[in-house]
Amino acid sequence: MTGARPLLVLHYSELWLKGCNKPFFISKLKTSIEQTLEGLPVRLEGHVNERMVVSAQTPEAAQEAAARLQRVPGIEFIGVGVGIPPTLERILAAGLESMRGKDFHSYRVRAKRASKQLPFRSLEVERQLGALIGEQARAEGRDVRVDLSNAEATCFVQATATEAVVFTDKLRGLGGLPTGTAGRLMCLLSGGIDSAVAAYKIMRRGVRVNFVHFYGAAARPGEESPPIAREVVRQLTPYQGLSRLFLVDFDPIQRHIVANAPDEFRLLLYRRFMLRISEKLARGHRCHGTITGDSIAQVASQTIANIEGVNSVAKMPVYRPLCGDDKQEITAIARKIGTYETSIEPFTDCCPLYMPRNPRLFASIDELDAVEAQLEADHMIRQATMSLLREVYEYRMGKVERKSVKQYVVAAKDISPVLAG
Ligand code: ATP
Ligand code: MG
């Protein structure tokens, strides 16, 4: 059709538009959208009435743009359609065209007019276009009926003074809040299923997530955990544009704990050390807490007593977004976001010899503090934070690239005596 251009209409949640923060949220969302669409023959064309419009040179580019935008937090849904001059004649023609060949029994037309200057009313569009769509389908020998509340196919028309947009395909966006509107957190990323999903859930809320992974000796060659953690970070980076991953050699700490603490407390002590190191990194990177993939009672270290015992060393808030989720629910999200296949690859982040044979189900804070008093916690943590790797991943031109790898030393001021307080 001449003069029809492929368009996407992005609807964002109106909840966060209340109050004077609106320009801040909109500008963050625009930044994410522009970065996500980089390299495609498409253009973001500002926003009207709580909608953003992206124009595309070809329908294929519009499809690819829509697929990428489904990973941008802050977008509720994406309409994929065409833009045309806002005349009733053109709207009826485009609406009919958009419903041609679609398989439906019930249908409806939803029209909205943003300008009172337009020489037709929304109801007129809905009635006339609705009648034409019915005739078109019946002429093809199909039995169709209008259903305003529960239609199988909907033709949306949104008209402004300068352009009308017509679309039938409405894709669900990620929802949530735009990246960078809610500050930063560190995530303890194991490479398993849970922590990747925990990070994703928090990213959706507009938080930029930095990752820290602790690795030990692999059980077998080829089962090292850092490649898995890196791959998970790659898969999560399109959701936030840029990720930092810290890789910490945990082997010396594990050896120290194995040599100096009873078997039954090992795992909980590992977690305490991880939390503390995460907080050191958090302080140097303007993060306000740590995310973990804990789910209540999923494994021995995650009974509520043990979570309390581990958590007691934290000075910053610890977010456990999966604490009330079942494994099936977590797995379903992992599949949806694309981390599942990587997370089930075999790896060892801890030498099997260092795993406890009889982990305690209910350890108290006092017991853990007493065992820890026998360890050289300060020294071990200082050693671990003296030489870690910091990698930066960025989403550019539709691909995730590793931008830099650096040796990283945690600033001395961030290494406080761990057992104080
Ligand atoms: P996941 O499924 O994410 O691997 P898990 O089921 O292995 O978690 P645990 O081993 O008890 O459960 O770990 C609980 C949480 O502790 C993880 O979700 C993660 O946040 C953190 N964690 C565990 N191991 C590591 C690690 N090697 N590096 C960083 N964080 C870790
Ligand atoms: Mg788990």
Side-chain angles (χ1 to χ4, degrees), residues 187-196 198 212-216 225 250 254 267 271 274 291-295 298-299 301-302 322 327 347 349-350:
C187 176
L188 292 182
L189 185 76
S190 68
I193 295 170
D194 302 331
S195 41
V212 53
H213 175 69
F214 297 86
Y215 62 92
S225 62
F250 206 50
Q254 286 177 328
L267 210 54
R271 297 283 175 267
M274 287 181 186
I291 305 162
T292 80
D294 294 326
S295 166
Q298 188 190 73
V299 287
S301 59
Q302 291 165 27
L322 309 184
K327 195 74 183 186
F347 69 90
D349 56 358
C350 170

PDB file of all heavy atoms in Angstrom, residues 187-196 198 212-216 225 250 254 267 271 274 291-295 298-299 301-302 322 327 347 349-350, ligand 1:
ATOM      1  N   CYS A 187      24.978  -9.204  42.223  1.00  0.00           N
ATOM      2  CA  CYS A 187      24.313 -10.505  42.270  1.00  0.00           C
ATOM      3  C   CYS A 187      25.334 -11.611  42.441  1.00  0.00           C
ATOM      4  O   CYS A 187      26.321 -11.669  41.694  1.00  0.00           O
ATOM      5  CB  CYS A 187      23.536 -10.737  40.976  1.00  0.00           C
ATOM      6  SG  CYS A 187      22.773 -12.376  40.912  1.00  0.00           S
ATOM      7  N   LEU A 188      25.108 -12.483  43.420  1.00  0.00           N
ATOM      8  CA  LEU A 188      25.944 -13.683  43.564  1.00  0.00           C
ATOM      9  C   LEU A 188      25.492 -14.657  42.481  1.00  0.00           C
ATOM     10  O   LEU A 188      24.410 -15.246  42.576  1.00  0.00           O
ATOM     11  CB  LEU A 188      25.739 -14.321  44.935  1.00  0.00           C
ATOM     12  CG  LEU A 188      26.229 -13.554  46.157  1.00  0.00           C
ATOM     13  CD1 LEU A 188      25.984 -14.371  47.429  1.00  0.00           C
ATOM     14  CD2 LEU A 188      27.715 -13.252  46.042  1.00  0.00           C
ATOM     15  N   LEU A 189      26.313 -14.816  41.462  1.00  0.00           N
ATOM     16  CA  LEU A 189      25.924 -15.631  40.304  1.00  0.00           C
ATOM     17  C   LEU A 189      26.678 -16.955  40.326  1.00  0.00           C
ATOM     18  O   LEU A 189      27.901 -16.984  40.196  1.00  0.00           O
ATOM     19  CB  LEU A 189      26.253 -14.871  39.006  1.00  0.00           C
ATOM     20  CG  LEU A 189      25.798 -15.563  37.727  1.00  0.00           C
ATOM     21  CD1 LEU A 189      24.286 -15.405  37.559  1.00  0.00           C
ATOM     22  CD2 LEU A 189      26.510 -14.979  36.515  1.00  0.00           C
ATOM     23  N   SER A 190      25.951 -18.056  40.485  1.00  0.00           N
ATOM     24  CA  SER A 190      26.639 -19.344  40.628  1.00  0.00           C
ATOM     25  C   SER A 190      26.896 -20.029  39.284  1.00  0.00           C
ATOM     26  O   SER A 190      27.785 -20.842  39.165  1.00  0.00           O
ATOM     27  CB  SER A 190      25.792 -20.279  41.488  1.00  0.00           C
ATOM     28  OG  SER A 190      24.610 -20.620  40.790  1.00  0.00           O
ATOM     29  N   GLY A 191      26.074 -19.712  38.277  1.00  0.00           N
ATOM     30  CA  GLY A 191      26.149 -20.479  37.025  1.00  0.00           C
ATOM     31  C   GLY A 191      25.033 -21.503  36.964  1.00  0.00           C
ATOM     32  O   GLY A 191      24.773 -22.101  35.934  1.00  0.00           O
ATOM     33  N   GLY A 192      24.354 -21.723  38.096  1.00  0.00           N
ATOM     34  CA  GLY A 192      23.194 -22.626  38.134  1.00  0.00           C
ATOM     35  C   GLY A 192      21.936 -21.897  37.666  1.00  0.00           C
ATOM     36  O   GLY A 192      21.987 -20.742  37.255  1.00  0.00           O
ATOM     37  N   ILE A 193      20.819 -22.581  37.781  1.00  0.00           N
ATOM     38  CA  ILE A 193      19.567 -22.030  37.236  1.00  0.00           C
ATOM     39  C   ILE A 193      19.076 -20.813  38.030  1.00  0.00           C
ATOM     40  O   ILE A 193      18.663 -19.801  37.463  1.00  0.00           O
ATOM     41  CB  ILE A 193      18.464 -23.124  37.263  1.00  0.00           C
ATOM     42  CG1 ILE A 193      18.845 -24.261  36.312  1.00  0.00           C
ATOM     43  CG2 ILE A 193      17.106 -22.545  36.878  1.00  0.00           C
ATOM     44  CD1 ILE A 193      17.951 -25.480  36.444  1.00  0.00           C
ATOM     45  N   ASP A 194      19.141 -20.909  39.346  1.00  0.00           N
ATOM     46  CA  ASP A 194      18.424 -19.949  40.185  1.00  0.00           C
ATOM     47  C   ASP A 194      18.966 -18.521  40.152  1.00  0.00           C
ATOM     48  O   ASP A 194      18.199 -17.569  40.013  1.00  0.00           O
ATOM     49  CB  ASP A 194      18.423 -20.440  41.638  1.00  0.00           C
ATOM     50  CG  ASP A 194      17.776 -21.811  41.759  1.00  0.00           C
ATOM     51  OD1 ASP A 194      16.904 -22.119  40.945  1.00  0.00           O
ATOM     52  OD2 ASP A 194      18.165 -22.569  42.667  1.00  0.00           O
ATOM     53  N   SER A 195      20.275 -18.387  40.308  1.00  0.00           N
ATOM     54  CA  SER A 195      20.772 -17.015  40.470  1.00  0.00           C
ATOM     55  C   SER A 195      20.600 -16.190  39.194  1.00  0.00           C
ATOM     56  O   SER A 195      20.401 -14.976  39.265  1.00  0.00           O
ATOM     57  CB  SER A 195      22.224 -17.009  40.951  1.00  0.00           C
ATOM     58  OG  SER A 195      22.988 -17.978  40.311  1.00  0.00           O
ATOM     59  N   ALA A 196      20.626 -16.845  38.024  1.00  0.00           N
ATOM     60  CA  ALA A 196      20.399 -16.100  36.771  1.00  0.00           C
ATOM     61  C   ALA A 196      18.971 -15.554  36.750  1.00  0.00           C
ATOM     62  O   ALA A 196      18.733 -14.410  36.348  1.00  0.00           O
ATOM     63  CB  ALA A 196      20.628 -17.019  35.572  1.00  0.00           C
ATOM     64  N   ALA A 198      17.111 -14.967  39.413  1.00  0.00           N
ATOM     65  CA  ALA A 198      17.016 -13.920  40.443  1.00  0.00           C
ATOM     66  C   ALA A 198      17.500 -12.588  39.868  1.00  0.00           C
ATOM     67  O   ALA A 198      16.848 -11.548  40.042  1.00  0.00           O
ATOM     68  CB  ALA A 198      17.850 -14.318  41.661  1.00  0.00           C
ATOM     69  N   VAL A 212      28.935 -11.243  40.555  1.00  0.00           N
ATOM     70  CA  VAL A 212      30.192 -11.772  41.102  1.00  0.00           C
ATOM     71  C   VAL A 212      30.081 -13.296  41.151  1.00  0.00           C
ATOM     72  O   VAL A 212      29.088 -13.838  41.634  1.00  0.00           O
ATOM     73  CB  VAL A 212      30.553 -11.156  42.487  1.00  0.00           C
ATOM     74  CG1 VAL A 212      29.432 -11.281  43.493  1.00  0.00           C
ATOM     75  CG2 VAL A 212      31.829 -11.807  43.035  1.00  0.00           C
ATOM     76  N   HIS A 213      31.099 -13.938  40.575  1.00  0.00           N
ATOM     77  CA  HIS A 213      31.124 -15.403  40.552  1.00  0.00           C
ATOM     78  C   HIS A 213      32.384 -15.891  41.258  1.00  0.00           C
ATOM     79  O   HIS A 213      33.482 -15.396  41.004  1.00  0.00           O
ATOM     80  CB  HIS A 213      31.112 -15.905  39.103  1.00  0.00           C
ATOM     81  CG  HIS A 213      31.268 -17.388  39.006  1.00  0.00           C
ATOM     82  ND1 HIS A 213      30.297 -18.272  39.418  1.00  0.00           N
ATOM     83  CD2 HIS A 213      32.326 -18.149  38.584  1.00  0.00           C
ATOM     84  CE1 HIS A 213      30.729 -19.508  39.249  1.00  0.00           C
ATOM     85  NE2 HIS A 213      31.957 -19.462  38.739  1.00  0.00           N
ATOM     86  N   PHE A 214      32.204 -16.888  42.133  1.00  0.00           N
ATOM     87  CA  PHE A 214      33.330 -17.480  42.871  1.00  0.00           C
ATOM     88  C   PHE A 214      33.638 -18.848  42.270  1.00  0.00           C
ATOM     89  O   PHE A 214      32.730 -19.672  42.144  1.00  0.00           O
ATOM     90  CB  PHE A 214      32.956 -17.623  44.351  1.00  0.00           C
ATOM     91  CG  PHE A 214      32.692 -16.295  45.012  1.00  0.00           C
ATOM     92  CD1 PHE A 214      31.435 -15.708  44.947  1.00  0.00           C
ATOM     93  CD2 PHE A 214      33.705 -15.621  45.674  1.00  0.00           C
ATOM     94  CE1 PHE A 214      31.186 -14.479  45.545  1.00  0.00           C
ATOM     95  CE2 PHE A 214      33.470 -14.385  46.280  1.00  0.00           C
ATOM     96  CZ  PHE A 214      32.209 -13.815  46.208  1.00  0.00           C
ATOM     97  N   TYR A 215      34.887 -19.052  41.898  1.00  0.00           N
ATOM     98  CA  TYR A 215      35.218 -20.340  41.292  1.00  0.00           C
ATOM     99  C   TYR A 215      36.299 -21.058  42.088  1.00  0.00           C
ATOM    100  O   TYR A 215      37.147 -20.441  42.725  1.00  0.00           O
ATOM    101  CB  TYR A 215      35.645 -20.176  39.827  1.00  0.00           C
ATOM    102  CG  TYR A 215      36.893 -19.347  39.651  1.00  0.00           C
ATOM    103  CD1 TYR A 215      38.160 -19.932  39.597  1.00  0.00           C
ATOM    104  CD2 TYR A 215      36.810 -17.964  39.539  1.00  0.00           C
ATOM    105  CE1 TYR A 215      39.299 -19.178  39.446  1.00  0.00           C
ATOM    106  CE2 TYR A 215      37.944 -17.190  39.391  1.00  0.00           C
ATOM    107  CZ  TYR A 215      39.187 -17.802  39.345  1.00  0.00           C
ATOM    108  OH  TYR A 215      40.302 -17.036  39.212  1.00  0.00           O
ATOM    109  N   GLY A 216      36.216 -22.390  42.039  1.00  0.00           N
ATOM    110  CA  GLY A 216      37.240 -23.204  42.706  1.00  0.00           C
ATOM    111  C   GLY A 216      37.831 -24.157  41.683  1.00  0.00           C
ATOM    112  O   GLY A 216      37.648 -23.963  40.478  1.00  0.00           O
ATOM    113  N   SER A 225      33.865 -23.516  36.129  1.00  0.00           N
ATOM    114  CA  SER A 225      32.620 -22.739  36.189  1.00  0.00           C
ATOM    115  C   SER A 225      32.679 -21.356  35.539  1.00  0.00           C
ATOM    116  O   SER A 225      31.640 -20.872  35.065  1.00  0.00           O
ATOM    117  CB  SER A 225      32.143 -22.626  37.636  1.00  0.00           C
ATOM    118  OG  SER A 225      33.099 -21.931  38.408  1.00  0.00           O
ATOM    119  N   PHE A 250      38.119 -18.664  44.546  1.00  0.00           N
ATOM    120  CA  PHE A 250      37.607 -18.994  45.878  1.00  0.00           C
ATOM    121  C   PHE A 250      38.333 -20.189  46.480  1.00  0.00           C
ATOM    122  O   PHE A 250      38.080 -20.561  47.614  1.00  0.00           O
ATOM    123  CB  PHE A 250      36.106 -19.296  45.738  1.00  0.00           C
ATOM    124  CG  PHE A 250      35.296 -19.050  46.979  1.00  0.00           C
ATOM    125  CD1 PHE A 250      35.397 -17.847  47.684  1.00  0.00           C
ATOM    126  CD2 PHE A 250      34.410 -20.001  47.456  1.00  0.00           C
ATOM    127  CE1 PHE A 250      34.634 -17.608  48.824  1.00  0.00           C
ATOM    128  CE2 PHE A 250      33.641 -19.781  48.600  1.00  0.00           C
ATOM    129  CZ  PHE A 250      33.758 -18.581  49.283  1.00  0.00           C
ATOM    130  N   GLN A 254      38.166 -21.752  50.327  1.00  0.00           N
ATOM    131  CA  GLN A 254      37.565 -23.064  50.587  1.00  0.00           C
ATOM    132  C   GLN A 254      38.543 -23.984  51.315  1.00  0.00           C
ATOM    133  O   GLN A 254      38.182 -24.667  52.273  1.00  0.00           O
ATOM    134  CB  GLN A 254      37.088 -23.691  49.282  1.00  0.00           C
ATOM    135  CG  GLN A 254      35.826 -23.023  48.777  1.00  0.00           C
ATOM    136  CD  GLN A 254      35.357 -23.562  47.444  1.00  0.00           C
ATOM    137  OE1 GLN A 254      36.160 -23.960  46.609  1.00  0.00           O
ATOM    138  NE2 GLN A 254      34.065 -23.555  47.233  1.00  0.00           N
ATOM    139  N   LEU A 267      29.497 -25.169  54.069  1.00  0.00           N
ATOM    140  CA  LEU A 267      28.758 -24.472  53.018  1.00  0.00           C
ATOM    141  C   LEU A 267      28.266 -23.104  53.498  1.00  0.00           C
ATOM    142  O   LEU A 267      28.289 -22.118  52.764  1.00  0.00           O
ATOM    143  CB  LEU A 267      27.562 -25.342  52.599  1.00  0.00           C
ATOM    144  CG  LEU A 267      27.117 -25.204  51.153  1.00  0.00           C
ATOM    145  CD1 LEU A 267      28.259 -25.423  50.186  1.00  0.00           C
ATOM    146  CD2 LEU A 267      26.007 -26.215  50.877  1.00  0.00           C
ATOM    147  N   ARG A 271      29.163 -19.344  52.053  1.00  0.00           N
ATOM    148  CA  ARG A 271      28.176 -18.309  51.699  1.00  0.00           C
ATOM    149  C   ARG A 271      28.438 -17.004  52.441  1.00  0.00           C
ATOM    150  O   ARG A 271      28.283 -15.923  51.890  1.00  0.00           O
ATOM    151  CB  ARG A 271      26.757 -18.791  52.020  1.00  0.00           C
ATOM    152  CG  ARG A 271      26.305 -19.982  51.245  1.00  0.00           C
ATOM    153  CD  ARG A 271      25.902 -19.637  49.816  1.00  0.00           C
ATOM    154  NE  ARG A 271      25.594 -20.862  49.111  1.00  0.00           N
ATOM    155  CZ  ARG A 271      26.475 -21.548  48.373  1.00  0.00           C
ATOM    156  NH1 ARG A 271      27.706 -21.100  48.200  1.00  0.00           N
ATOM    157  NH2 ARG A 271      26.127 -22.683  47.799  1.00  0.00           N
ATOM    158  N   MET A 274      31.231 -15.286  50.731  1.00  0.00           N
ATOM    159  CA  MET A 274      30.774 -14.729  49.435  1.00  0.00           C
ATOM    160  C   MET A 274      30.009 -13.419  49.654  1.00  0.00           C
ATOM    161  O   MET A 274      30.221 -12.444  48.929  1.00  0.00           O
ATOM    162  CB  MET A 274      29.844 -15.718  48.726  1.00  0.00           C
ATOM    163  CG  MET A 274      30.548 -16.928  48.140  1.00  0.00           C
ATOM    164  SD  MET A 274      29.321 -17.992  47.319  1.00  0.00           S
ATOM    165  CE  MET A 274      30.346 -19.392  46.896  1.00  0.00           C
ATOM    166  N   ILE A 291      22.059  -9.589  45.609  1.00  0.00           N
ATOM    167  CA  ILE A 291      20.950 -10.477  45.211  1.00  0.00           C
ATOM    168  C   ILE A 291      21.478 -11.909  45.281  1.00  0.00           C
ATOM    169  O   ILE A 291      22.603 -12.171  44.852  1.00  0.00           O
ATOM    170  CB  ILE A 291      20.542 -10.221  43.741  1.00  0.00           C
ATOM    171  CG1 ILE A 291      20.213  -8.753  43.509  1.00  0.00           C
ATOM    172  CG2 ILE A 291      19.387 -11.132  43.331  1.00  0.00           C
ATOM    173  CD1 ILE A 291      20.231  -8.372  42.019  1.00  0.00           C
ATOM    174  N   THR A 292      20.665 -12.839  45.778  1.00  0.00           N
ATOM    175  CA  THR A 292      21.030 -14.249  45.682  1.00  0.00           C
ATOM    176  C   THR A 292      19.865 -15.042  45.087  1.00  0.00           C
ATOM    177  O   THR A 292      18.734 -14.562  45.055  1.00  0.00           O
ATOM    178  CB  THR A 292      21.381 -14.880  47.054  1.00  0.00           C
ATOM    179  OG1 THR A 292      20.165 -15.207  47.718  1.00  0.00           O
ATOM    180  CG2 THR A 292      22.225 -13.987  47.926  1.00  0.00           C
ATOM    181  N   GLY A 293      20.161 -16.268  44.674  1.00  0.00           N
ATOM    182  CA  GLY A 293      19.119 -17.125  44.090  1.00  0.00           C
ATOM    183  C   GLY A 293      18.514 -18.074  45.112  1.00  0.00           C
ATOM    184  O   GLY A 293      17.963 -19.108  44.744  1.00  0.00           O
ATOM    185  N   ASP A 294      18.619 -17.730  46.401  1.00  0.00           N
ATOM    186  CA  ASP A 294      18.057 -18.612  47.438  1.00  0.00           C
ATOM    187  C   ASP A 294      16.553 -18.775  47.288  1.00  0.00           C
ATOM    188  O   ASP A 294      15.841 -17.815  46.997  1.00  0.00           O
ATOM    189  CB  ASP A 294      18.304 -18.018  48.839  1.00  0.00           C
ATOM    190  CG  ASP A 294      19.768 -17.984  49.208  1.00  0.00           C
ATOM    191  OD1 ASP A 294      20.495 -18.896  48.807  1.00  0.00           O
ATOM    192  OD2 ASP A 294      20.182 -17.026  49.899  1.00  0.00           O
ATOM    193  N   SER A 295      16.091 -20.004  47.537  1.00  0.00           N
ATOM    194  CA  SER A 295      14.655 -20.287  47.557  1.00  0.00           C
ATOM    195  C   SER A 295      14.423 -21.090  48.830  1.00  0.00           C
ATOM    196  O   SER A 295      15.130 -22.081  49.074  1.00  0.00           O
ATOM    197  CB  SER A 295      14.315 -21.099  46.301  1.00  0.00           C
ATOM    198  OG  SER A 295      13.049 -21.654  46.408  1.00  0.00           O
ATOM    199  N   GLN A 298      15.017 -25.038  49.629  1.00  0.00           N
ATOM    200  CA  GLN A 298      15.314 -25.794  48.402  1.00  0.00           C
ATOM    201  C   GLN A 298      16.440 -26.804  48.652  1.00  0.00           C
ATOM    202  O   GLN A 298      16.386 -27.932  48.167  1.00  0.00           O
ATOM    203  CB  GLN A 298      15.727 -24.815  47.288  1.00  0.00           C
ATOM    204  CG  GLN A 298      15.864 -25.457  45.922  1.00  0.00           C
ATOM    205  CD  GLN A 298      16.511 -24.502  44.929  1.00  0.00           C
ATOM    206  OE1 GLN A 298      17.718 -24.253  45.011  1.00  0.00           O
ATOM    207  NE2 GLN A 298      15.724 -23.989  44.011  1.00  0.00           N
ATOM    208  N   VAL A 299      17.463 -26.351  49.367  1.00  0.00           N
ATOM    209  CA  VAL A 299      18.560 -27.245  49.762  1.00  0.00           C
ATOM    210  C   VAL A 299      18.912 -26.931  51.223  1.00  0.00           C
ATOM    211  O   VAL A 299      18.405 -25.954  51.783  1.00  0.00           O
ATOM    212  CB  VAL A 299      19.820 -27.036  48.869  1.00  0.00           C
ATOM    213  CG1 VAL A 299      19.621 -27.614  47.481  1.00  0.00           C
ATOM    214  CG2 VAL A 299      20.203 -25.571  48.787  1.00  0.00           C
ATOM    215  N   SER A 301      21.308 -25.590  52.759  1.00  0.00           N
ATOM    216  CA  SER A 301      21.831 -24.270  53.141  1.00  0.00           C
ATOM    217  C   SER A 301      20.761 -23.185  53.065  1.00  0.00           C
ATOM    218  O   SER A 301      21.011 -22.043  53.415  1.00  0.00           O
ATOM    219  CB  SER A 301      23.007 -23.892  52.237  1.00  0.00           C
ATOM    220  OG  SER A 301      22.572 -23.864  50.891  1.00  0.00           O
ATOM    221  N   GLN A 302      19.579 -23.551  52.602  1.00  0.00           N
ATOM    222  CA  GLN A 302      18.544 -22.536  52.445  1.00  0.00           C
ATOM    223  C   GLN A 302      17.328 -22.745  53.361  1.00  0.00           C
ATOM    224  O   GLN A 302      16.228 -22.292  53.063  1.00  0.00           O
ATOM    225  CB  GLN A 302      18.112 -22.458  50.978  1.00  0.00           C
ATOM    226  CG  GLN A 302      19.236 -21.883  50.128  1.00  0.00           C
ATOM    227  CD  GLN A 302      19.071 -22.095  48.643  1.00  0.00           C
ATOM    228  OE1 GLN A 302      17.961 -22.220  48.156  1.00  0.00           O
ATOM    229  NE2 GLN A 302      20.179 -22.145  47.929  1.00  0.00           N
ATOM    230  N   LEU A 322      13.651 -15.079  44.716  1.00  0.00           N
ATOM    231  CA  LEU A 322      13.046 -16.392  44.440  1.00  0.00           C
ATOM    232  C   LEU A 322      12.614 -17.096  45.715  1.00  0.00           C
ATOM    233  O   LEU A 322      12.244 -18.275  45.667  1.00  0.00           O
ATOM    234  CB  LEU A 322      14.050 -17.293  43.708  1.00  0.00           C
ATOM    235  CG  LEU A 322      14.733 -16.714  42.471  1.00  0.00           C
ATOM    236  CD1 LEU A 322      15.610 -17.775  41.824  1.00  0.00           C
ATOM    237  CD2 LEU A 322      13.695 -16.218  41.482  1.00  0.00           C
ATOM    238  N   LYS A 327      10.812 -24.743  42.254  1.00  0.00           N
ATOM    239  CA  LYS A 327      11.829 -24.959  41.207  1.00  0.00           C
ATOM    240  C   LYS A 327      11.197 -24.913  39.813  1.00  0.00           C
ATOM    241  O   LYS A 327      11.791 -24.366  38.885  1.00  0.00           O
ATOM    242  CB  LYS A 327      12.529 -26.310  41.431  1.00  0.00           C
ATOM    243  CG  LYS A 327      13.819 -26.458  40.650  1.00  0.00           C
ATOM    244  CD  LYS A 327      14.941 -25.626  41.249  1.00  0.00           C
ATOM    245  CE  LYS A 327      16.206 -25.701  40.443  1.00  0.00           C
ATOM    246  NZ  LYS A 327      17.337 -25.022  41.098  1.00  0.00           N
ATOM    247  N   PHE A 347      29.187 -28.311  35.677  1.00  0.00           N
ATOM    248  CA  PHE A 347      30.339 -27.502  36.083  1.00  0.00           C
ATOM    249  C   PHE A 347      30.559 -27.701  37.570  1.00  0.00           C
ATOM    250  O   PHE A 347      29.655 -28.146  38.291  1.00  0.00           O
ATOM    251  CB  PHE A 347      30.125 -26.016  35.767  1.00  0.00           C
ATOM    252  CG  PHE A 347      29.070 -25.358  36.620  1.00  0.00           C
ATOM    253  CD1 PHE A 347      29.399 -24.753  37.830  1.00  0.00           C
ATOM    254  CD2 PHE A 347      27.748 -25.340  36.212  1.00  0.00           C
ATOM    255  CE1 PHE A 347      28.420 -24.151  38.618  1.00  0.00           C
ATOM    256  CE2 PHE A 347      26.767 -24.746  36.998  1.00  0.00           C
ATOM    257  CZ  PHE A 347      27.105 -24.151  38.189  1.00  0.00           C
ATOM    258  N   ASP A 349      31.847 -25.353  40.752  1.00  0.00           N
ATOM    259  CA  ASP A 349      32.406 -24.115  41.278  1.00  0.00           C
ATOM    260  C   ASP A 349      33.102 -24.388  42.607  1.00  0.00           C
ATOM    261  O   ASP A 349      33.660 -23.506  43.229  1.00  0.00           O
ATOM    262  CB  ASP A 349      31.317 -23.033  41.421  1.00  0.00           C
ATOM    263  CG  ASP A 349      30.154 -23.491  42.293  1.00  0.00           C
ATOM    264  OD1 ASP A 349      30.171 -24.649  42.752  1.00  0.00           O
ATOM    265  OD2 ASP A 349      29.238 -22.686  42.505  1.00  0.00           O
ATOM    266  N   CYS A 350      33.057 -25.650  43.006  1.00  0.00           N
ATOM    267  CA  CYS A 350      33.664 -26.019  44.284  1.00  0.00           C
ATOM    268  C   CYS A 350      34.132 -27.464  44.143  1.00  0.00           C
ATOM    269  O   CYS A 350      33.360 -28.320  43.706  1.00  0.00           O
ATOM    270  CB  CYS A 350      32.599 -25.914  45.378  1.00  0.00           C
ATOM    271  SG  CYS A 350      33.087 -26.611  46.955  1.00  0.00           S
TER     272      CYS A 350
HETATM  273  P1  ATP B   1      21.889 -21.838  41.663  1.00  0.00           P
HETATM  274  O1  ATP B   1      20.787 -22.678  41.169  1.00  0.00           O
HETATM  275  O2  ATP B   1      21.824 -20.404  41.295  1.00  0.00           O
HETATM  276  O3  ATP B   1      23.215 -22.457  41.291  1.00  0.00           O
HETATM  277  P2  ATP B   1      21.963 -23.356  43.871  1.00  0.00           P
HETATM  278  O4  ATP B   1      20.724 -24.081  43.678  1.00  0.00           O
HETATM  279  O5  ATP B   1      23.256 -23.973  43.439  1.00  0.00           O
HETATM  280  O6  ATP B   1      21.847 -21.930  43.197  1.00  0.00           O
HETATM  281  P3  ATP B   1      23.200 -22.857  46.293  1.00  0.00           P
HETATM  282  O7  ATP B   1      24.392 -23.561  45.798  1.00  0.00           O
HETATM  283  O8  ATP B   1      22.724 -23.156  47.655  1.00  0.00           O
HETATM  284  O9  ATP B   1      21.985 -23.013  45.369  1.00  0.00           O
HETATM  285  O10 ATP B   1      23.448 -21.330  46.216  1.00  0.00           O
HETATM  286  C1  ATP B   1      22.541 -20.408  46.721  1.00  0.00           C
HETATM  287  C2  ATP B   1      22.889 -19.070  46.138  1.00  0.00           C
HETATM  288  O11 ATP B   1      24.232 -18.701  46.548  1.00  0.00           O
HETATM  289  C3  ATP B   1      22.929 -19.061  44.627  1.00  0.00           C
HETATM  290  O12 ATP B   1      21.664 -18.885  44.045  1.00  0.00           O
HETATM  291  C4  ATP B   1      23.846 -17.896  44.371  1.00  0.00           C
HETATM  292  O13 ATP B   1      23.187 -16.658  44.525  1.00  0.00           O
HETATM  293  C5  ATP B   1      24.874 -18.042  45.491  1.00  0.00           C
HETATM  294  N1  ATP B   1      26.023 -18.840  45.017  1.00  0.00           N
HETATM  295  C6  ATP B   1      26.225 -20.161  45.171  1.00  0.00           C
HETATM  296  N2  ATP B   1      27.406 -20.541  44.603  1.00  0.00           N
HETATM  297  C7  ATP B   1      27.959 -19.436  44.093  1.00  0.00           C
HETATM  298  C8  ATP B   1      29.164 -19.154  43.367  1.00  0.00           C
HETATM  299  N3  ATP B   1      30.040 -20.108  43.073  1.00  0.00           N
HETATM  300  N4  ATP B   1      29.407 -17.890  42.997  1.00  0.00           N
HETATM  301  C9  ATP B   1      28.524 -16.909  43.274  1.00  0.00           C
HETATM  302  N5  ATP B   1      27.386 -17.104  43.942  1.00  0.00           N
HETATM  303  C10 ATP B   1      27.080 -18.341  44.355  1.00  0.00           C
END
